[in-house]
Amino acid sequence: MVDKENVCKACEHTHDLKGCASKHVGEARKFLAEGDSDGADLSLSNFEKHLKSE
């Protein structure tokens, strides 16, 4: 299960959309491989928030 306290709150790739996408999608794939759909959803939700703020 994902530790919601340690999920990205301020992405280090704030000004690099490609880096941000790579980070969050990579995390989501890792969570899916572990069977953690909640973690994957949270990671992708964080990416969506970054897209909306651009």
Side-chain angles (χ1 to χ4, degrees):
M1 201 52 126
V2 67
D3 179 4
K4 293 186 180 186
E5 295 300 314
N6 292 323
V7 172
C8 175
K9 292 182 180 167
C11 184
E12 67 268 19
H13 301 288
T14 303
H15 303 292
D16 176 15
L17 191 57
K18 187 175 179 180
C20 179
S22 294
K23 175 190 174 190
H24 289 289
V25 171
E27 287 178 346
R29 291 182 62 142
K30 182 187 87 164
F31 286 129
L32 288 173
E34 295 170 354
D36 184 357
S37 61
D38 289 338
D41 185 54
L42 189 56
S43 184
L44 292 173
S45 292
N46 283 331
F47 179 52
E48 285 179 325
K49 288 177 190 173
H50 290 174
L51 284 176
K52 289 178 183 176
S53 69
E54 285 294 315

